[in-house]
Structures are given as C-alpha cells and as structure tokens.
Amino acid sequence: MLLLVAWEAGFRIFDWGWKFPSATQTLQAFYDGFVHGQLLEATLQSLRRLLLAFVISIVIGTVLGFLFARYRLIDDTIGFLVVALQTIPSIAWLPFAIIWFGMSDFSVIFITTLGATWTMAMSSRTGIKNIPTIYTKAALTLGTGNGFRMFYQIMVPAAFPHMMTGVRVAWAFAWRALVAGELIAKGVGLGQLLQDGRNLADTALMLCIVIIIAVLGTISDHFCFKRLEDKLLVRYGLADTKKS
C-alpha cells in the first residue's frame, strides 16, 4: 500500500503525464482489462502458446542433450551447431517463420520453442555427462541395455538436478521469445496487446501487461520449478532436508 501511495504521489508531483501511468490509472486498466477488456483472453492465449512450446522444447532439448552426451560424433558436429544457435536471439528467426508458416500461432510457437530448446539441450548434456559412471555400469549389469530404457530409467532421473537449472532458464527464455513474437505476429496475446497499447499511447495498459508477465513468471518459477528443484536436490543428497 505504501508503494502505491508513493507511486501516485510521484506521478502528481513530477507530472509524468502520459509517459508513465499513475497507480490509479494502472489499477483502473487492470479492472477494465479483466472485466471489460481483453487482458484475460490475451493472458490465456499467451499461456497456451507458451506451455505448448515449452513442453516441445523440453522434450527436444532433453533428447538432444542425451545424444550429445552419449555420442562423440554428434556432440562434435550438431552439438557445435547448437552452441552457435544458442547465441542467436530467437526473434531473429521470426521473419523466416512468417515466410514458412504465415502470420499464425505456429510462427509464434516455433520461435518460442527455439528460444528454450538450445538452453535445455546444453543443460541436459551437462547433466548426463555428470552422471556417476557407477550408475550406468550398475544398470548394464542389471540388464537395462544402452537403449531407450537406459535413457528414461537411469539417465534422465540421475541428471534431473542439473537439468532443473536448464528448465528454469528455458522457461525465462521462452517468455522472452513469446512476447517478442506476439509483438509482430497476428493473434490475441499479451505481446499483441502490448503493441496495441503502444499504438494507442496507453501506458497504463502496457504496464499492466509487463506486471502480468513478471507475476506469472515469478509465481511459476517459485511455486513450481524451485520447489521441484529443492525436492530433487534433497532426494539426491545435494541439499539439507531441513532447508527444503
């Protein structure tokens, strides 16, 4: 409450005008956006695209990480390419995505997936490479084999503590790619609504969207990924049980 009062006072004292909204304007924009406007629909549509792209990126990234960790030739060739691709902002691929898939949801999902896949692949590779050799030797002795059973029964669970860091970073990268893609591509979403707010000079609406993204990102990271990571660290003896 004190922050809101200081915010409102700063708006009136320094006369920010339309360049930055007051607290009351922002709260009014939240009310109008959720009760009468498109904020709720835009948030749900963005989350739908984000979750779909995030799941795809986790699956692809984990499989790529396994291949990089297990096969030297793939690591030296495709792995080197992935490192190069990781440095390219995913929004740079949006013009290609629009040419290939048009101004559609698929274009946004495509670049959002790219934004998270490479980070997940490198984290999975690191996690699998750090698995103690005794785990795989024991699994081979018990007849697991070197195929898919070794991957999902031994390597993925053992690499979870390292992979969770990649998951959290990939989630943040996916958000960035999503909003950047929605700024340009068509369709209802937070990015497109942010663009509409800019066109209308509606800074209150723009700030509402920024706050929504920050809140959703923080809540999902703290109550989902961080808690899962803490439990995994305790399970593998990497953290104190009391701290979890």
Side-chain angles (χ1 to χ4, degrees):
M1 181 61 69
L2 182 61
L3 178 62
L4 292 176
V5 173
W7 180 2
E8 185 70 26
F11 175 82
R12 298 180 183 278
I13 293 172
F14 298 105
D15 192 20
W16 293 337
W18 63 272
K19 294 182 180 180
F20 195 81
S22 67
T24 53
Q25 289 172 340
T26 304
L27 293 174
Q28 185 64 43
F30 266 118
Y31 177 82
D32 293 339
F34 281 109
V35 177
H36 306 295
Q38 298 180 334
L39 266 181
L40 180 60
E41 182 183 2
T43 301
L44 294 176
Q45 289 297 328
S46 291
L47 285 174
R48 177 184 62 83
R49 298 186 187 102
L50 179 70
L51 292 174
L52 178 59
F54 186 64
V55 170
I56 295 172
S57 67
I58 294 299
V59 173
I60 296 176
T62 302
V63 172
L64 285 176
F66 169 77
L67 295 175
F68 297 156
R70 295 291 290 174
Y71 302 103
R72 179 69 178 272
L73 179 62
I74 297 178
D75 191 28
D76 290 341
T77 54
I78 301 178
F80 179 81
L81 178 63
V82 167
V83 173
L85 291 173
Q86 193 176 13
T87 64
I88 303 173
S90 55
I91 191 63
W93 296 102
L94 185 59
F96 290 98
I98 293 174
I99 292 173
W100 297 336
F101 312 118
M103 300 283 283
S104 63
D105 269 12
F106 203 86
S107 295
V108 178
I109 293 172
F110 175 75
I111 67 163
T112 304
T113 302
L114 286 181
T117 297
W118 311 136
T119 297
M120 193 63 217
M122 300 312 295
S123 296
S124 300
R125 173 186 178 275
T126 302
I128 292 173
K129 275 186 172 291
N130 283 311
I131 296 175
T133 308
I134 189 66
Y135 288 7
T136 55
K137 287 183 177 179
L140 290 172
T141 302
L142 294 172
T144 302
N146 277 315
F148 186 66
R149 288 182 63 192
M150 173 68 80
F151 170 65
Y152 80 88
Q153 288 184 345
I154 307 300
M155 292 188 168
V156 171
F160 265 156
H162 291 87
M163 290 172 60
M164 279 308 303
T165 300
V167 169
R168 295 175 71 176
V169 176
W171 178 253
F173 280 15
W175 263 113
R176 297 174 188 177
L178 173 77
V179 176
E182 288 181 343
L183 280 170
I184 301 174
K186 292 181 178 179
V188 177
L190 292 174
Q192 188 58 50
L193 204 57
L194 187 65
Q195 180 75 346
D196 293 341
R198 185 193 69 85
N199 292 335
L200 297 172
D202 189 347
T203 54
L205 175 61
M206 294 164 59
L207 185 58
C208 285
I209 296 168
V210 171
I211 293 173
I212 289 172
I213 294 171
V215 169
L216 289 176
T218 302
I219 289 175
S220 58
D221 182 79
H222 183 76
F223 291 100
C224 181
F225 301 130
K226 189 177 185 301
R227 289 192 175 185
L228 179 59
E229 182 181 31
D230 291 341
K231 290 181 179 180
L232 290 171
L233 290 176
V234 171
R235 178 180 178 181
Y236 286 93
L238 300 174
D240 189 356
T241 307
K242 296 180 180 180
K243 293 181 179 180
S244 64

